[in-house]
Amino acid sequence: MPHRTETDSRKLLRRLRDEMSLSNPGQERLDRITTIIAESMGVDVCSVYLFRDPDTLELCATEGLRPESVHQTRLRLGEGLVGKVARLARPVNTANAPKEPGFRFMPETGEEVFTSFLGVPIQRLGERLGVLVVQAKDPRLYSDDEIYGLEVVAMVIAEMTELGAFVGEGTSFATTHKNPILLRGVTAQEGEAEGEVWLHEPRVVITNLVNDDSQAELARLEAAVAQLRVSIDELMAHAGSRDKEHQEILQTYRMFAHSRGWMKRMEEDIRLGLSAEAAVEKEQSFARARLETVPDAYLRDRLHDLDDLSNRLLRILTGQGHETGADMPDRPILVARNIGPGELLEYGRKLRGVVLEEGAVGSHATIVARALAIPLVINAARITTEALNGDHILVDGTEGIVHLRPDDAISSAFRDKMAMQAKAQERYAILRDKPAKARCGTHVKLNMNAGLMADLPSLPSSGAEAVGLFRSELQFLAQDRMPKRSDLVANYARVLDAAKDKKVYFRTLDIGSDKVMPYMNRPDEPNPAMGWRALRVGLDKPGVLRMQLQALIRAANGRALSVMFPLVAAQSEFTQAHDMLLREIERERRMGHALPEKLEIGAMLETPSLAYAPHSFFEAVDFISIGGNDLKQFFFAADRENELVRRRYDTLSVSFLTFLQVIVDRCHEAGTDLSFCGEDAGRPIDALALAGIGIGALSMRPASIGPVKSLIRRANLNEVSELIARVQARGLENARPALLDYVATLVE
Ligand code: PEP
Ligand code: MG
């Protein structure tokens, strides 16, 4: 086979392009393409294998192998050399195929006479589409240039496949982006939603793959890269030195944007005949394919950075912004790699659901999705490469499952599930104005958690008696600059107006840990969950906390006010915060502002230490609210954001319940009101146990109030309390099994 030159590759690409503009999509075209490649490369065989399902490759066209084997010969992923190329997403090049490990002879193809083998993956943006193979009788190893040239050709084929070019009559090949796919992720916000995909970062559409003038195309690439570099420098200047993490990402961008290797590969592709866009996308495809195989988290992040950078470059080259001109579907389900809280808030309640490829249960986006009550599934691997705008999608936030392009059977089963849930909600709606009074006569207060103005409309419909936890930091997280005091006053006043005569327990800023405000200086901490966060920040740097307290007093404008401080770990911290609030009251009085007619000052109990504070602490606080999410993470030393350990320990384990009883007893002795406002309060069985051990108020997401109320009204809390005591006396580890048995005996 003659050594191929640059011009050969260019000629080949042009012929392929011409062929595509002439022939009809379908089998005939695919056949012509293999013929052109074989001729142009001077090889005996050229074959295209495509995935018919994620595990099976099918010979879809060939020049040189027996025609009757087309659509008959199939291989599993990893089987034979073709399967190996597909699995590794890397070329296999051998002068002696039968001697190559993994070789599998397929007699029906007549390939035994061909000794040399070169296979390259056909892939687009990390999605594996198939394998392109050339074979020849003479035992020769293909040169690097030949491998490179074949990869470029495979890139063009990948684009055609994407455009549905091969899907014609008689082609049994199951096209990509058409199959139903089930993705398993992690639940971040429960609930079910059906709708159509709306990509947060829509794909750039490339129409010209092959260039007519390499020089002109190289100049386009150079200009675009120069523009990219300037834009990164501007971003860096803009970000300033405050946000370290952001700076680090931009540094990596800058490094890639100046990388000679990256540029060289793209220039090479252009010289071989690709357009500048196609060259960028080819690099991006390779990076994505590598992403799937790289186990190292740090490296994967860097490959993600490269992917982002390629997107930026593609947008510059094509002039396509985020606005593709497409209309948002009626039932949009947002699909993104990740999203910030501000961006999510901008979409707001328009969204039916959200699916993220990354994300964390305790992240800001999750907090916002919860506040907006939008089902959210995170860690749904590959969703951004699999989903296309407008695809039908079902999000099962409760199970952490996503069905993309589901078939009819799945869709109808899913709709049945949604209908059942809606029915249950209707049943709960009937209970809305009824108290959560157990059969024994005990009344449990059910409150709702909120954090945004947008939550307040659910207050009347949820049947909540109060807003038991108002996470005030959400307003701070949702914007890119520090809110002014006047913004806070207006916001809190609106919250109090909307709550009417119902109490709102405002929690002061709980920042730090995973809740990071981009505009605030934050030290690098080895373990931020146990670091400088929440009230600790407020006491050390009191400026913002004082502003917030002033705003709360002004917003109350004479009405009753309840304030609680997060993560109080010692009595002295509460005393300081308490005194700070009283000083602000005094200051407001001097300035002539109306003072709250009633002021309640409480503490969130989120560290075990506070359960053993002196008795005088329990007397000094007006109320205590258990922040179960944090308390549980510190009690079991299990990070609430770490998926590996998050679900390992049970709230109904006897050790935790016994500990909670200590808090109940201490509050009881001091006559202090006690509530529980972690996520567990919204899980009916857990809520029943919490009420059973004597916690009088539970604060939860509005949607949980119905199910919790329904169960409490059917139960007898004395029986629950006795049952837990029996479990303890028997030395068992967990009360859940006994509680489940008990609940099963209750009448509906
Ligand atoms: C908690 O820790 O349980 C809590 C209610 O607060 P957050 O989840 O906001 O930390
Ligand atoms: Mg907390």
Side-chain angles (χ1 to χ4, degrees):
M1 189 169 82
H3 181 75
R4 292 174 63 254
T5 62
E6 236 176 75
T7 348
D8 287 336
S9 293
R10 296 181 55 74
K11 273 196 209 132
L12 170 55
L13 283 188
R14 289 237 186 90
R15 280 186 70 189
L16 287 177
R17 183 183 58 183
D18 293 346
E19 179 60 41
M20 282 187 274
S21 63
L22 289 175
S23 61
N24 288 326
Q27 186 66 46
E28 200 183 316
R29 177 190 281 185
L30 199 52
D31 292 342
R32 289 277 309 141
I33 285 168
T34 54
T35 310
I36 292 171
I37 298 172
E39 260 174 38
S40 153
M41 289 184 69
V43 290
D44 301 312
V45 176
C46 172
S47 312
V48 173
Y49 296 80
L50 296 172
F51 278 105
R52 27 175 320 117
D53 61 54
D55 297 314
T56 320
L57 284 151
E58 179 174 308
L59 176 63
C60 285
T62 185
E63 168 67 39
L65 297 183
R66 286 202 193 116
E68 55 275 23
S69 55
V70 170
H71 297 308
Q72 299 303 321
T73 293
R74 292 189 185 154
L75 293 148
R76 281 198 315 282
L77 182 67
E79 186 184 6
L81 296 186
V82 174
K84 186 169 165 183
V85 174
R87 183 169 58 81
L88 299 177
R90 270 206 314 265
V92 169
N93 176 17
T94 170
N96 194 345
K99 287 264 156 61
E100 191 68 15
F103 175 77
R104 179 183 167 278
F105 172 53
M106 292 172 290
E108 72 277 14
T109 63
E111 67 172 347
E112 63 275 18
V113 293
F114 306 111
T115 320
S116 72
F117 174 103
L118 169 60
V120 298
I122 304 174
Q123 58 194 1
R124 181 172 185 263
L125 297 181
E127 186 180 23
R128 294 165 191 198
L129 306 173
V131 177
L132 175 63
V133 175
V134 292
Q135 291 171 282
K137 283 184 186 142
D138 54 330
R140 61 180 302 277
L141 206 57
Y142 296 87
S143 69
D144 284 351
D145 286 347
E146 284 166 333
I147 300 174
Y148 211 82
L150 200 62
E151 282 177 347
V152 169
V153 170
M155 158 82 198
V156 175
I157 293 182
E159 286 291 342
M160 295 190 304
T161 315
E162 179 69 19
L163 298 171
F166 297 152
V167 193
E169 299 287 315
T171 314
S172 62
F173 167 61
T175 45
T176 59
H177 286 128
K178 288 221 164 124
N179 295 335
I181 297 176
L182 183 153
L183 298 168
R184 277 179 208 285
V186 170
T187 298
Q189 161 69 19
E190 289 89 354
E192 287 76 32
E194 173 173 17
E196 289 78 39
V197 168
W198 181 251
L199 291 169
H200 182 52
E201 290 259 331
R203 291 232 179 95
V204 175
V205 182
I206 300 177
T207 43
N208 63 324
L209 293 163
V210 178
N211 78 53
D212 287 315
D213 176 353
S214 287
Q215 285 315 314
E217 213 60 7
L218 284 169
R220 276 185 71 224
L221 179 72
E222 200 177 318
V225 171
Q227 194 180 331
L228 177 75
R229 289 175 182 162
V230 170
S231 74
I232 293 170
D233 288 345
E234 279 171 6
L235 279 174
M236 289 190 79
H238 204 69
S241 57
R242 283 177 310 172
D243 183 352
K244 250 184 121 186
E245 212 169 318
H246 194 184
Q247 277 288 340
E248 265 173 34
I249 292 172
L250 290 174
Q251 290 279 12
T252 325
Y253 280 0
R254 177 140 78 179
M255 197 188 78
F256 279 129
H258 286 266
S259 145
R260 269 315 300 157
W262 187 53
M263 270 310 270
K264 246 178 84 185
R265 284 193 300 275
M266 291 191 294
E267 285 165 359
E268 189 86 344
D269 294 334
I270 291 174
R271 279 194 206 97
L272 289 174
L274 287 185
S275 66
E277 292 86 327
V280 176
E281 201 181 89
K282 177 166 168 277
E283 273 304 300
Q284 193 179 18
S285 278
F286 278 69
R288 286 213 183 159
R290 255 170 282 154
L291 256 178
E292 294 212 348
T293 55
V294 168
D296 181 273
Y298 177 78
L299 264 182
R300 269 209 311 274
D301 275 353
R302 299 292 73 79
L303 284 169
H304 268 319
D305 292 343
L306 182 58
D307 195 54
D308 283 341
L309 199 72
S310 304
N311 275 336
R312 280 169 195 264
L313 192 52
L314 282 175
R315 288 187 199 289
I316 295 175
L317 278 166
T318 59
Q320 292 171 25
H322 287 259
E323 278 299 327
T324 55
D327 285 333
M328 193 183 257
D330 289 342
R331 308 175 300 176
I333 306 261
L334 189 78
V335 169
R337 186 141 78 229
N338 216 339
I339 191 167
E343 289 168 306
L344 194 51
L345 274 171
E346 258 172 51
Y347 285 108
R349 290 194 193 277
K350 273 196 291 248
L351 300 177
R352 294 282 179 103
V354 180
V355 183
L356 299 180
E357 197 156 310
E358 297 174 354
V361 171
S363 78
H364 318 155
T366 305
I367 294 170
V368 170
R370 285 210 180 123
L372 296 172
I374 301 171
L376 167 65
V377 172
I378 58 166
N379 298 0
R382 303 200 332 275
I383 183 74
T384 56
T385 32
E386 297 287 0
L388 292 180
N389 258 345
D391 276 349
H392 184 205
I393 183 169
L394 309 174
V395 181
D396 188 337
T398 313
E399 301 290 331
I401 287 176
V402 177
H403 298 277
L404 189 62
R405 300 179 288 266
D407 56 31
D408 292 347
I410 298 273
S411 302
S412 75
F414 192 83
R415 280 180 206 130
D416 287 349
K417 187 174 171 184
M418 293 211 323
M420 261 167 60
Q421 236 116 38
K423 269 223 182 82
Q425 284 302 336
E426 271 171 32
R427 275 211 314 277
Y428 299 139
I430 302 171
L431 296 179
R432 195 188 65 192
D433 298 322
K434 302 205 166 127
K437 195 165 163 195
R439 283 203 340 264
C440 51
T442 309
H443 171 222
V444 183
K445 263 198 196 137
L446 300 187
N447 300 334
M448 73 172 238
N449 293 345
L452 295 167
M453 195 46 218
D455 294 324
L456 270 297
S458 336
L459 182 55
S461 57
S462 69
E465 294 187 38
V467 175
L469 164 67
F470 189 86
R471 290 183 162 104
S472 69
E473 62 278 0
L474 292 197
Q475 191 192 358
F476 287 73
L477 290 174
Q479 48 194 59
D480 52 16
R481 59 173 183 84
M482 174 79 79
K484 295 203 290 277
R485 185 175 56 194
S486 54
D487 300 335
L488 297 181
V489 175
N491 188 46
Y492 301 151
R494 268 186 306 173
V495 170
L496 287 167
D497 292 346
K500 301 208 174 80
D501 52 347
K502 295 189 169 161
K503 249 193 211 174
V504 180
Y505 290 86
F506 286 99
R507 168 173 82 185
T508 62
L509 260 190
D510 183 8
I511 49 156
S513 190
D514 69 308
K515 297 174 195 155
V516 183
M517 294 186 280
Y519 44 86
M520 251 180 113
N521 255 335
R522 185 177 67 111
D524 253 346
E525 296 184 276
N527 191 345
M530 295 203 269
W532 197 55
R533 53 173 289 204
L535 184 59
R536 297 168 184 180
V537 180
L539 293 178
D540 293 352
K541 289 243 188 285
V544 182
L545 180 57
R546 283 187 53 201
M547 170 175 85
Q548 195 182 21
L549 295 174
Q550 290 159 11
L552 284 167
I553 301 165
R554 286 188 201 180
N557 195 20
R559 290 175 280 195
L561 180 63
S562 304
V563 178
M564 60 186 181
F565 297 107
L567 205 86
V568 176
Q571 179 176 18
S572 56
E573 288 174 341
F574 176 74
T575 311
Q576 282 179 60
H578 176 270
D579 292 352
M580 190 191 291
L581 176 49
L582 293 188
R583 275 199 303 279
E584 293 312 323
I585 291 271
E586 178 52 26
R587 180 173 174 274
E588 294 297 301
R589 190 188 61 74
R590 283 203 309 272
M591 290 173 77
H593 289 125
L595 299 184
E597 57 166 10
K598 183 166 182 243
L599 178 65
E600 282 183 309
I601 311 177
M604 285 191 71
L605 195 155
E606 307 191 83
T607 65
S609 61
L610 203 63
Y612 301 99
H615 183 70
S616 56
F617 163 74
F618 288 88
E619 287 186 320
V621 286
D622 292 321
F623 62 91
I624 284 179
S625 187
I626 296 176
N629 305 331
D630 275 310
L631 186 63
K632 195 171 150 196
Q633 86 164 336
F634 295 126
F635 185 78
F636 288 110
D639 187 342
R640 63 192 263 188
E641 279 177 63
N642 183 340
E643 292 304 321
L644 290 174
V645 297
R646 191 169 65 86
R647 279 183 283 233
R648 201 177 175 96
Y649 306 99
D650 192 353
T651 306
L652 299 192
S653 67
V654 168
S655 62
F656 194 53
L657 287 177
T658 309
F659 172 60
L660 292 177
Q661 278 170 335
V662 171
I663 304 168
V664 173
D665 291 346
R666 299 216 59 191
C667 287
H668 189 73
E669 280 159 26
T672 304
D673 281 345
L674 175 64
S675 72
F676 185 106
C677 64
E679 296 303 309
D680 295 328
R683 302 196 174 98
I685 305 271
D686 303 42
L688 189 62
L690 296 172
I693 62 168
I695 298 178
L698 304 171
S699 194
M700 62 198 78
R701 286 181 295 123
S704 301
I705 292 181
V708 169
K709 190 187 283 185
S710 157
L711 183 58
I712 288 181
R713 285 172 59 90
R714 287 184 284 134
N716 178 328
L717 295 182
N718 295 333
E719 287 169 7
V720 173
S721 164
E722 282 160 19
L723 180 149
I724 292 173
R726 270 201 307 278
V727 167
Q728 284 166 321
R730 287 171 58 200
L732 299 178
E733 194 179 13
N734 195 310
R736 190 173 296 276
L739 267 157
L740 283 169
D741 287 348
Y742 172 71
V743 168
T745 65
L746 301 177
V747 276
E748 273 290 327

